[in-house]
Amino acid sequence: MVVATGFFDGVHLGHRLVLEKLVSVARARGAGSEVVTFWPHPRNVLQDDARNLRLLTSLSEKKDLISSIGVDKVEVLPFTRSFSRLTTKEYLEDYVKGKFGGKAILLGYDNRIGSDLLSPVEIAEVAERLGLEVIRTESLSSPKGIVVSSTKIREAVASGDVEGAAAMLGYKYSLFGVVVAGNRLGRTIGFPTANMWLYEPLKLLPGNGVYSVEVESLGRKFKGMCNIGTRPTVNAGRDRTVETNIFDFDEDIYGLDLKVTFLRKIRDERRFASLDALKAQLIQDRESCLKD
């Protein structure tokens, strides 16, 4: 078994470089490929600025993305405080070799394993002493010359740069949840919205604003526009919401799944002097989205 290990949040292009090599090396040897990942995120368990951490992928999204690359097996280890105290040697010996039968381990350029916080070079030395073959991969840069990382992608999403995030992810960023009841104000001005409650509460929301999106519901795809923010015109700037106006759609989907995929940001959220002014802007926003 050839093993890669890490959290792999986002399963971005840098991760894909590792995982595609994992699959190709394993197949060339007639061996299985396996990813060992963790849940929840270590920062949530260790309280390392956990209140500010938001994730690019839920556990199910992460597993699906990894499997789509061709990885034979995805193992999820519960990340606990006791687990966090394992050294690199203990983790590799007890889990990668012992529990999962690894013969070789694939290491990315920034892999970190164990409580002893060893560098990738030091991890490789420990692995080789344990009889594990070590296969290395290099870092991957985005078209803008930025080294692709989950942190850089989170920054892009949080700022509303969903196109930049997609360039580093290798796919368009999306939210997945259930449609819940709202105040139905949008319907009164001709722009009814589906309000979303996320299935993964820690999923990162794009920065406040209006976005051109693709919407999936009832087994079909639609164009739409999504507002993320506090709705300052009608809501006095309270909690953030995710509201999507689905174009050419008039069905009751309360309680049903909804997937919203972000294409580009149209504008920042702002407060309008009246509902008529808001409606006029929404008409312009819709025309802009229809060009995608």
Side-chain angles (χ1 to χ4, degrees), residues 83-88 90 113-118:
F83 181 82
S84 75
R85 290 191 282 270
L86 291 174
T87 64
T88 301
E90 290 169 335
I113 300 172
S115 60
D116 37 357
L117 303 177
L118 302 185

Side-chain angles (χ1 to χ4, degrees), residues 15-137:
H15 294 144
R16 284 176 175 269
L17 186 71
V18 172
L19 299 176
E20 287 168 359
K21 187 165 185 176
L22 171 72
V23 171
S24 65
V25 168
R27 288 177 179 171
R29 300 179 180 200
S33 55
E34 184 169 11
V35 166
V36 181
T37 189
F38 319 104
W39 197 265
H41 195 285
R43 280 171 59 182
N44 290 113
V45 175
L46 303 177
Q47 299 178 349
D48 180 14
D49 195 28
R51 70 178 59 192
N52 293 318
L53 175 68
R54 293 297 179 268
L55 302 174
L56 298 169
T57 42
S58 66
L59 179 57
S60 61
E61 286 174 322
K62 178 166 67 169
K63 290 170 67 176
D64 287 346
L65 285 165
I66 292 171
S67 296
S68 73
I69 297 169
V71 173
D72 294 318
K73 196 172 183 181
V74 182
E75 295 282 355
V76 181
L77 294 175
F79 194 93
T80 63
R81 283 191 173 273
S82 60
F83 181 82
S84 75
R85 290 191 282 270
L86 291 174
T87 64
T88 301
K89 179 178 182 295
E90 290 169 335
Y91 174 71
L92 294 176
E93 191 168 39
D94 296 347
Y95 287 88
V96 174
K97 283 193 68 176
K99 186 176 178 67
F100 302 121
K103 304 297 183 185
I105 185 167
L106 203 69
L107 293 179
Y109 80 99
D110 63 346
N111 250 135
R112 290 291 186 270
I113 300 172
S115 60
D116 37 357
L117 303 177
L118 302 185
S119 68
V121 171
E122 293 170 322
I123 293 169
E125 291 171 351
V126 172
E128 287 169 347
R129 286 198 295 271
L130 291 172
L132 285 167
E133 180 184 356
V134 175
I135 304 159
R136 299 297 304 273
T137 61

Side-chain angles (χ1 to χ4, degrees), residues 9 41 53-54 56 150-158 204:
D9 186 31
H41 195 285
L53 175 68
R54 293 297 179 268
L56 298 169
S150 298
T151 298
K152 293 294 184 184
I153 298 168
R154 290 188 197 110
E155 291 172 354
V157 172
L204 176 65

Side-chain angles (χ1 to χ4, degrees), residues 27 52 58 67 74-75 127 145 176 178 185 194 200 207 230 262 288:
R27 288 177 179 171
N52 293 318
S58 66
S67 296
V74 182
E75 295 282 355
F176 188 50
V178 63
L185 182 62
E200 173 49 68
T230 59
F262 294 83
S288 180

Side-chain angles (χ1 to χ4, degrees), residues 189-209:
I189 59 173
F191 287 91
T193 59
N195 297 335
M196 177 189 285
W197 181 82
L198 299 181
Y199 285 134
E200 173 49 68
L202 290 181
K203 178 93 173 184
L204 176 65
L205 294 180
N208 290 0

Side-chain angles (χ1 to χ4, degrees), residues 172-175 212-216 259-263:
K172 296 179 178 65
Y173 191 72
S174 61
L175 300 177
S212 173
V213 298
E214 182 179 79
V215 186
E216 295 180 48
K259 182 178 181 181
V260 176
T261 300
F262 294 83
L263 305 181

